[in-house]
Amino acid sequence: MAHTRTDGSAERPAAWSRALIAGSALLLVAGVASGCAGGDTTLDGSAGQGQGQGEIVVGAGDGAESRILAEIYAGALRSTGAPVVTDGGLGDRTAYLGQLDAGNVTLVPEFTGRLLRYYDPESAETEQDDVFEALSKALPQGLSISDFAAAEDRSALAVTSQTSGQLDLTTLDELVPSCSRSTAVLAPAFEADALPDRTGCTFAQTRTVADDAAAVGELAAPASADGAVRVAGVTTASPDVSDADLVLLADDDHVFTAQNVVPLFRNGTLTEAQLKALNVVAGELTTADLADMIGQVRGGADSADVARVWLDAHL
């Protein structure tokens, strides 16, 4: 079965030809799904416990972002009248994709670039449409993706607003001449190899810290007189980044790999109406929304409650 993109977002402009192809692909997937979904049986993730016929199980990994996205997709699917449960805390990417492959879950939320590198480590695509197309081809037989959201957790280099104004620094291209004199403090999820591999930028000093909050905290030192810069390597859906007074350097050449939110699901398990519900999420969910919800969950809020507030406002 062909892996498809279905584009339900009115807010993200696209070429008419791409939209027509996406719409045709949706109809193809929906036709296969509606013919198969009635006889599909899944498991709830507990050993030996069967799931009711036609029930959709949305799985999630251990991270706050995975749990929130699982609840959002589950809520969107419930809006079609489908019986849906969530199964969280399934572990890392290898673990929850294993549950999907085994048929214990129906759908998991993912990020396009990370999923592409998982299935095709040699892939070199970085731009969001190219990453999506490469991912759709790299998926194992039996799995599909629908449209990606504008929401993303892409790597980015950040500087303080003061540094940006002082050095007139707003883009990666403008940073590259200063790399050899500058210091980078990197969060673990930052795509560290991208700059030297794709721009030749090698920093004078590079340190990896515990998380985005620690990386942002290292930016307090002002820029030096010779134009050396202190930058933080972060990801865009981090609440520690969105809540700080930072400038994310524009990546016009797509140096960093696109990491758009996307649902990954088993073929033959979703109807046309359910696929359209997933596309509503794709058209509405923004990076700012995702960062805000991650912050709430990390602060102690229940992921289902946080997702419900977003769903009530957008569906």
Side-chain angles (χ1 to χ4, degrees):
M1 176 174 177
H3 306 298
T4 65
R5 173 181 177 178
T6 52
D7 195 344
S9 170
E11 297 180 355
R12 183 173 59 248
W16 278 107
S17 59
R18 190 169 68 220
L20 289 171
I21 292 170
S24 299
L26 168 60
L27 294 175
L28 175 61
V29 173
V32 174
S34 61
C36 302
D40 199 75
T41 301
T42 60
L43 301 177
D44 67 0
S46 302
Q49 294 183 356
Q51 200 69 38
Q53 184 166 337
E55 188 167 53
I56 297 171
V57 182
V58 180
D62 293 337
E65 67 280 2
S66 186
R67 300 197 307 274
I68 290 164
L69 291 169
E71 295 291 350
I72 287 175
Y73 283 130
L77 292 168
R78 286 190 193 104
S79 72
T80 68
V84 184
V85 297
T86 57
D87 190 0
L90 296 179
D92 61 12
R93 178 167 289 109
T94 298
Y96 62 71
L97 290 181
Q99 292 293 312
L100 182 67
D101 184 60
N104 295 334
V105 298
T106 311
L107 179 151
V108 294
E110 258 294 353
F111 295 93
T112 53
R114 290 167 198 152
L115 194 58
L116 174 59
R117 299 295 187 261
Y118 180 88
Y119 285 123
D120 183 7
E122 302 303 316
S123 175
E125 286 81 1
T126 60
E127 194 274 330
Q128 63 178 13
D129 287 318
D130 294 339
V131 168
F132 181 88
E133 295 300 332
L135 173 58
S136 69
K137 296 174 183 177
L139 290 176
Q141 185 175 3
L143 298 180
S144 290
I145 49 178
S146 62
D147 195 20
F148 60 81
E152 61 178 352
D153 193 31
R154 180 179 50 83
S155 292
L157 284 175
V159 297
T160 63
S161 294
Q162 179 182 4
T163 296
S164 176
Q166 178 183 341
L167 300 178
D168 194 23
L169 178 60
T170 60
T171 71
L172 282 177
D173 284 344
E174 293 166 348
L175 172 68
V176 169
S178 303
C179 286
S180 62
R181 305 189 301 276
S182 300
T183 299
V185 184
L186 311 179
F190 179 76
E191 193 178 356
D193 294 336
L195 276 172
D197 288 350
R198 297 169 191 158
T199 70
C201 169
T202 301
F203 292 107
Q205 297 181 26
T206 301
R207 289 193 300 112
T208 299
V209 292
D211 51 29
D212 288 288
V216 171
E218 295 276 352
L219 293 180
S224 64
D226 65 354
V229 185
R230 185 180 293 266
V231 300
V234 295
T235 57
T236 55
S238 168
D240 301 302
V241 174
S242 63
D243 292 343
D245 184 21
L246 301 176
V247 172
L248 300 183
L249 300 182
D251 182 12
D252 297 330
D253 296 324
H254 309 290
V255 171
F256 298 117
T257 306
Q259 301 290 353
N260 296 85
V261 172
V262 70
L264 174 68
F265 52 89
R266 294 175 60 81
N267 289 346
T269 56
L270 302 179
T271 67
E272 180 179 358
Q274 290 157 5
L275 290 168
K276 288 181 177 178
L278 297 180
N279 285 345
V280 173
V281 174
E284 293 288 330
L285 186 64
T286 68
T287 303
D289 291 340
L290 181 57
D292 177 64
M293 289 187 283
I294 292 172
Q296 292 180 56
V297 171
R298 288 180 180 173
D302 180 74
S303 57
D305 292 339
V306 171
R308 190 175 301 112
V309 171
W310 186 90
L311 288 162
D312 288 345
H314 293 274
L315 294 188

